Amino acid sequence: MLAPISGCVHLAVAGGCGGTTWGLQHARQILSDGHHVVWICEEIPDGNRFSQLFSDISPISVSKLHLSAVGENTDVGIKSAMDLLGVLENIALVVVDDWTKKTGKPSGELRKSMQALISTCTNKEVALIAISSAYEDAGGSGWKARGSLEGCDTWFLHRGQMDSMMRELHIRDVVTEYVLGDEGFIPRK
């Protein structure tokens, strides 16, 4: 079972640690509960990975995933998500996968769009996961998120310190370890 999402979560992920899988796994749960999910991304998630995670979900449930692959036009995807939030009553989750570039800071316009989406999701009581790249501070002060989002709780996902096959999810001062397999993240026992 994954850590539950309520409100807005900014998931800052070390490269190759499964941020998209984390989001897809949350989406799978929402879809299996009969709700809609809006997914904004640069590129459509890997088909094999998608098939693994959604193999036990009915086609009718999967049809409630509103996926927008917008290339580098994240602003367009965010606008689309806000439009859908205005017309569909059964949306329970919005995911913006890789909302920032892998390097540098997000543009002021993109930050403004994300803040508007956060506000809309908050007002409609819809959970939001904003996934971005994390990086280690050169000064040794730990992990940092690429771009901060007001109104979001920032979580960090990266490889385990003792075992690189494990993933660690840092929510404030609590660390939970997961094994990443074909079915997604499974809590380490």
Side-chain angles (χ1 to χ4, degrees), residues 5-10 118 122 126-130 149-154:
I5 301 287
S6 64
C8 178
V9 170
H10 181 189
I118 292 165
T122 300
V126 172
L128 170 65
I129 303 173
L149 294 171
E150 200 173 304
C152 281
D153 194 11
T154 302

Side-chain angles (χ1 to χ4, degrees), residues 9-89:
V9 170
H10 181 189
L11 182 66
V13 182
C17 282
T20 299
T21 298
W22 185 269
L24 286 171
Q25 197 168 342
H26 274 286
R28 177 180 69 192
Q29 182 60 51
I30 298 294
L31 293 170
S32 67
D33 290 342
H35 299 287
H36 290 255
V37 173
V38 176
W39 185 283
I40 307 303
C41 56
E42 189 172 309
E43 297 175 12
I44 292 174
D46 178 75
N48 291 331
R49 188 62 166 150
F50 190 89
S51 294
Q52 287 172 329
L53 290 171
F54 287 82
S55 64
D56 61 344
I57 303 295
S58 76
I60 291 170
S61 293
V62 174
S63 74
K64 294 178 182 177
L65 175 64
H66 306 276
L67 193 140
S68 265
V70 294
E72 293 183 7
N73 299 313
T74 305
D75 286 326
V76 172
I78 292 169
K79 167 89 170 75
S80 171
M82 289 178 36
D83 289 346
L84 281 171
L85 284 163
V87 295
L88 288 176
E89 293 297 321

Side-chain angles (χ1 to χ4, degrees), residues 162-181:
M162 300 298 186
D163 182 351
S164 65
M165 298 307 290
M166 293 293 163
R167 300 296 186 261
E168 292 181 352
L169 178 67
H170 294 250
I171 303 174
R172 292 173 287 291
D173 295 331
V174 176
V175 178
T176 306
E177 290 184 329
Y178 291 90
V179 177
L180 179 56

